[in-house]
């Protein structure tokens, strides 16, 4: 039975949107495993725009949904159209967009809030006990979605893991090639470019995450 997976993108580009390698690896693995995928993104302005050549902020404005369409080859919908009952699982790639556009974690840290439409969808998956995969910096939002006690990883970064703990999460250090699973909540996380030194290193953990998320969708299948 074909599984349907929603993927939330946060723009296009590691410094101000979705991490492109992580996003493409996720979409590739889902396709390789025969999943049916629909990308979503919030229809909002980015926090800011970064010149990826120089790392400097640019004096312009871009839309998260429009920029996400670059990665999704135009096949992306406003996240407000997403309905949890239409999907078996949810995956959120990383990149600073997760901490700048899907939330304000990059600015507020442990005091952050999640963008309302993103939070509503993620909470719906959590409430339905459907598998969720959070990649790279995205697990920093886990405690805001699941509440205190949620188990996740962002790798080994001390400051970020401390923020996760301050928000009520339980952080487990994790190698770039591996995943951490909260079995009670069906949440799977992996560090990816929080630790990866190459695209193939990032791919190792992301492939494991996608595979495990899809395995969890089959629990209870007859």
């Amino acid at each position: 039975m074909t599984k349907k997976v929603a993927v939330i993108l946060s723009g296009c580009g590691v410094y101000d949107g979705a991490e492109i390698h992580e996003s493409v690896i996720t979409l590739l693995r889902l396709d390789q495993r025969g999943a049916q995928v629909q990308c979503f993104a919030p229809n909002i302005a980015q926090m800011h725009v970064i010149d990826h050549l120089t790392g400097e902020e640019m004096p312009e404005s871009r839309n998260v949904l429009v920029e996400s369409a670059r990665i999704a080859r135009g096949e992306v919908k406003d996240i407000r159209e997403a309905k949890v009952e239409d999907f078996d699982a949810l995956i959120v790639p990383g990149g600073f967009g997760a901490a700048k556009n899907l939330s304000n974690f990059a600015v507020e840290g442990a005091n952050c809030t999640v963008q309302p439409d993103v939070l509503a969808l993620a909470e719906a998956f959590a409430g339905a006990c459907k598998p969720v995969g959070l990649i790279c910096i995205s697990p920093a939002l886990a405690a805001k979605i699941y509440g205190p006690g949620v188990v996740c990883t962002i790798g080994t970064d001390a400051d970020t893991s401390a923020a996760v703990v301050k928000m009520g999460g339980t952080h487990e250090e994790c190698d770039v090639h591996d995943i951490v699973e909260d079995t009670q909540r069906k949440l799977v996380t992996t560090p990816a470019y929080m630790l990866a030194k190459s695209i193939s290193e990032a791919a190792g953990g992301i492939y494991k995450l996608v595979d495990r998320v899809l395995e969890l969708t089959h629990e209870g299948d007859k």
Side-chain angles (χ1 to χ4, degrees):
M1 181 179 174
T2 301
K3 296 298 181 177
K4 297 180 179 179
V5 181
V7 174
I8 300 178
L9 300 176
S10 57
C12 181
V14 58
Y15 299 126
D16 58 12
E19 213 295 319
I20 296 172
H21 291 175
E22 292 176 0
S23 302
V24 173
I25 291 165
T26 298
L27 296 173
L28 171 63
R29 188 57 170 176
L30 286 167
D31 187 63
Q32 288 176 336
R33 294 299 307 273
Q36 184 178 331
V37 178
Q38 177 61 58
C39 292
F40 294 96
N43 187 9
I44 58 174
Q46 291 184 185
M47 174 183 154
H48 58 195
V49 179
I50 299 295
D51 182 331
H52 280 59
L53 194 59
T54 65
E56 299 296 318
E57 188 172 346
M58 300 173 69
E60 62 179 86
S61 177
R62 297 189 186 182
N63 178 281
V64 176
L65 179 60
V66 172
E67 291 300 296
S68 297
R70 293 177 178 272
I71 294 176
R73 294 174 58 86
E75 294 298 321
V76 61
K77 295 181 179 180
D78 188 326
I79 196 167
R80 286 174 289 189
E81 297 181 39
K83 297 179 181 178
V84 64
E85 57 266 27
D86 293 339
F87 296 95
D88 299 293
L90 172 69
I91 298 180
V92 187
F96 275 101
K100 293 178 176 179
N101 304 326
L102 303 186
S103 73
N104 58 3
F105 180 79
V107 177
E108 299 294 338
N111 297 316
C112 72
T113 57
V114 181
Q115 197 276 338
D117 298 319
V118 174
L119 182 61
L121 183 62
E123 285 182 334
F125 274 88
C129 206
K130 291 186 175 182
V132 174
L134 300 177
I135 297 167
C136 190
I137 192 64
S138 295
L141 310 182
K144 298 295 182 179
I145 297 166
Y146 289 91
V150 62
V151 180
C152 62
T153 189
I154 49 79
T156 58
D157 183 76
D159 289 342
T160 309
S161 60
V164 169
V165 171
K166 189 174 181 181
M167 285 187 278
T170 299
H171 183 265
E172 291 188 6
E173 291 199 352
C174 180
D175 182 77
V176 66
H177 302 100
D178 213 348
I179 58 175
V180 167
E181 181 180 346
D182 185 322
T183 53
Q184 179 184 342
R185 297 169 177 83
K186 293 188 178 180
L187 172 67
V188 187
T189 54
T190 192
Y193 273 108
M194 289 295 288
L195 289 176
K197 300 292 193 294
S198 68
I199 189 171
S200 56
E201 278 195 354
I206 293 172
Y207 274 25
K208 282 186 180 179
L209 178 141
V210 171
D211 289 353
R212 184 57 184 153
V213 166
L214 290 176
E215 284 174 5
L216 289 170
T217 68
H218 288 283
E219 286 192 352
D221 284 1
K222 294 181 180 179

